[in-house]
């Protein structure tokens, strides 16, 4: 059974940085799409970064240049480095995995495409 556990959330001021981690276990698949999503209060969940099995990354325009998704295969950990944070980045952040796509992330990613989810870590940006 795949398990994803996020950590690294917290409160920072505008312009600050945070690095989120997602520890994965139980992966019996060799190729999968990994992603970070976020959900602000009263808003729909949206994807903020995607990582394909070949190492390709993708981002929506509103975080491009500020967020970086990466993975340490040896540690089975997914990361999201977030820089130049803004109050509108305040949200619960989730990592997710899609294991039936052959390692591709079909963009834009939507909730229904992902097979496994972590419980989230809260990020709060103050002005």
């Amino acid at each position: 059974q795949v398990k994803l556990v996020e950590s690294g959330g917290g409160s920072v001021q505008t312009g600050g940085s945070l690095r989120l981690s997602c520890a994965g276990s139980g992966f019996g698949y060799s190729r999968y799409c990994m992603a970070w999503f976020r959900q602000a209060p009263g808003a729909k969940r949206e994807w903020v970064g995607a990582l394909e099995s070949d190492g390709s990354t993708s981002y929506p325009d509103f975080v491009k240049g500020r967020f970086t998704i990466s993975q340490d295969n040896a540690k089975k950990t997914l990361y999201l480095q977030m820089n130049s944070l803004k109050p509108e980045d305040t949200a619960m952040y989730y990592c997710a995995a899609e294991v039936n796509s052959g390692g591709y992330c079909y963009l834009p990613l939507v909730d229904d495409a992902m097979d496994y989810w972590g419980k989230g870590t809260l990020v709060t940006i103050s002005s």
Side-chain angles (χ1 to χ4, degrees):
Q1 180 70 18
V2 173
K3 184 176 181 181
L4 302 171
V5 180
E6 302 94 336
S7 61
S11 298
V12 297
Q13 291 187 326
T14 297
S17 298
L18 280 174
R19 188 177 80 157
L20 306 183
S21 300
C22 173
S25 61
F27 276 91
Y29 313 94
S30 60
R31 301 179 66 82
Y32 40 83
C33 165
M34 297 297 299
W36 286 95
F37 286 72
R38 72 184 185 188
Q39 187 169 24
K44 294 178 62 176
R45 193 151 52 181
E46 58 187 2
W47 75 282
V48 295
L51 176 67
E52 298 184 319
S53 287
D54 67 355
S56 300
T57 58
S58 300
Y59 308 91
D61 287 344
F62 57 85
V63 303
K64 197 172 293 183
R66 300 190 300 122
F67 289 13
T68 303
I69 188 172
S70 62
Q71 180 168 285
D72 184 325
N73 290 324
K75 295 182 179 180
K76 298 182 180 179
T77 301
L78 184 73
Y79 300 101
L80 184 69
Q81 177 67 44
M82 305 186 295
N83 300 326
S84 302
L85 285 162
K86 307 174 182 180
E88 52 263 43
D89 293 319
T90 294
M92 186 71 80
Y93 284 71
Y94 301 88
C95 72
E98 206 291 316
V99 300
N100 296 309
S101 67
Y104 298 103
C105 296
Y106 293 97
L107 304 178
L109 289 176
V110 295
D111 286 17
D112 292 348
M114 311 310 289
D115 298 306
Y116 299 99
W117 292 88
K119 293 184 177 181
T121 185
L122 182 63
V123 172
T124 304
I125 312 303
S126 58
S127 57

